Amino acid sequence: MYQMTVDTNEQGMQTVSARELHKGLGVTTRFNTWVASNFELFTKGVDYNMCKSVAHVGNGATRALDDYTLTIDMAKELSMMSHTPKSKEVRAYFIKVEKQYNSPEMMMARSVQYANQMMLQYDQQIKSLNETIELQAPKVEFAETIQKSEANISVTSLSKLLSNTGYTIGRNKLFEALRQNGWLLKSNAPSQKGINQGLFKSHEALVKTAYGTQIKVIADVTPKGQEYFIAKWKTGMGEAV
């Protein structure tokens, strides 16, 4: 069965090598001639992009060749335009690749991967913010740092920040206080009140539960919210947030 190397670019789009397609189709004309005759029907930067591929020339030596990354749609069209004995087989292969890529299982896997990447980035931002906070003293300087920060943080991280400034409160107790005062909903998602006042934002994340993978709305405390709640604890208002 015909097979070809299919890559995925940074935009999540599947691509194939033009040279590999040219060889797989069994096109008899030279590669450069084939490109000149067919690529004018497509748009550079949309359907294809220039790249380099490596050719083995013997004795372990290699040579860089001009090549192109093609979208699957362009590869399918080129397959049918070539009118070679392999045309239909190659096009059928690309259709199969597309179906597999867009299957519910693969889409879910990509969603989970994306969510994990976002969480990793989010954790790195929190780590960077916490490192900045540790360098700030006294508490007034800490509050000023929060005010200038552009990073949103989780409620859990807010409880840690409050504890770092001497106003100790556990994660669960803070969640309870925010719910009781209408900043969070029962699900711990931000209320419209919190969002309207600019103290919270939200994002969606895929989480694994006993009922399978589900989408959950997560509350993020904005820099304005961080300043607000820190100020409340500093003035001794405690849970009256």
Side-chain angles (χ1 to χ4, degrees):
M1 177 182 289
Y2 176 81
Q3 286 189 334
M4 179 177 290
T5 302
V6 179
D7 297 314
T8 304
N9 62 21
E10 294 179 354
Q11 290 73 42
M13 182 178 295
Q14 290 184 297
T15 62
V16 297
S17 161
R19 283 190 177 274
E20 191 172 350
L21 176 63
H22 177 264
K23 180 180 179 180
L25 288 169
V27 177
T28 57
T29 57
R30 291 174 58 85
F31 177 74
N32 290 339
T33 302
W34 177 70
V35 169
S37 301
N38 294 281
F39 279 38
E40 62 183 11
L41 301 175
F42 301 93
T43 304
K44 181 179 179 182
V46 177
D47 301 306
Y48 69 92
N49 285 289
M50 294 188 65
C51 67
K52 292 287 185 181
S53 62
V54 177
H56 297 276
V57 295
N59 298 324
T62 59
R63 182 162 61 95
L65 300 175
D66 288 336
D67 199 353
Y68 303 86
T69 56
L70 315 178
T71 64
I72 296 296
D73 283 341
M74 179 175 175
K76 286 191 298 184
E77 290 191 49
L78 288 173
S79 298
M80 296 309 297
M81 290 164 55
S82 68
H83 299 294
T84 68
K86 286 284 187 178
S87 295
K88 291 184 178 180
E89 181 182 353
V90 173
R91 181 176 180 274
Y93 170 75
F94 288 135
I95 292 175
K96 180 180 178 181
V97 167
E98 279 188 311
K99 287 183 178 179
Q100 291 176 339
Y101 187 73
N102 293 317
S103 67
E105 295 79 10
M106 290 298 293
M107 292 179 68
M108 177 61 73
R110 290 197 299 275
S111 296
V112 172
Q113 182 181 20
Y114 176 77
N116 289 337
Q117 290 174 344
M118 291 298 100
M119 289 302 295
L120 178 61
Q121 181 179 352
Y122 187 75
D123 289 341
Q124 289 173 341
Q125 290 176 342
I126 298 304
K127 180 180 178 182
S128 177
L129 179 60
N130 286 335
E131 289 174 351
T132 300
I133 290 170
E134 290 176 1
L135 297 175
Q136 304 300 318
K139 297 174 185 177
V140 173
E141 294 180 358
F142 167 77
E144 291 175 350
T145 300
I146 293 296
Q147 184 177 6
K148 295 176 182 178
S149 171
E150 295 181 357
N152 300 327
I153 66 173
S154 66
V155 174
T156 299
S157 294
L158 176 61
S159 70
K160 294 179 181 179
L161 296 184
L162 289 169
S163 297
N164 288 341
T165 63
Y167 310 103
T168 303
I169 182 171
R171 169 185 178 275
N172 293 338
K173 189 175 181 181
L174 179 57
F175 268 111
E176 181 181 357
L178 294 174
R179 288 194 299 268
Q180 288 178 348
N181 287 275
W183 298 114
L184 298 180
L185 304 176
K186 290 183 179 180
S187 63
N188 287 334
S191 66
Q192 197 60 48
K193 168 187 171 182
I195 294 175
N196 289 344
Q197 295 194 27
L199 306 184
F200 290 90
K201 287 189 176 181
S202 65
H203 73 274
E204 293 183 344
L206 289 171
V207 296
K208 292 183 178 180
T209 70
Y211 304 100
T213 302
Q214 297 181 350
I215 296 176
K216 184 177 181 181
V217 179
I218 307 297
D220 298 323
V221 188
T222 67
K224 180 180 179 181
Q226 297 165 45
E227 180 187 8
Y228 175 86
F229 294 116
I230 288 173
K232 289 294 183 183
W233 257 266
K234 286 188 65 175
T235 55
M237 295 184 67
E239 295 181 9
V241 294

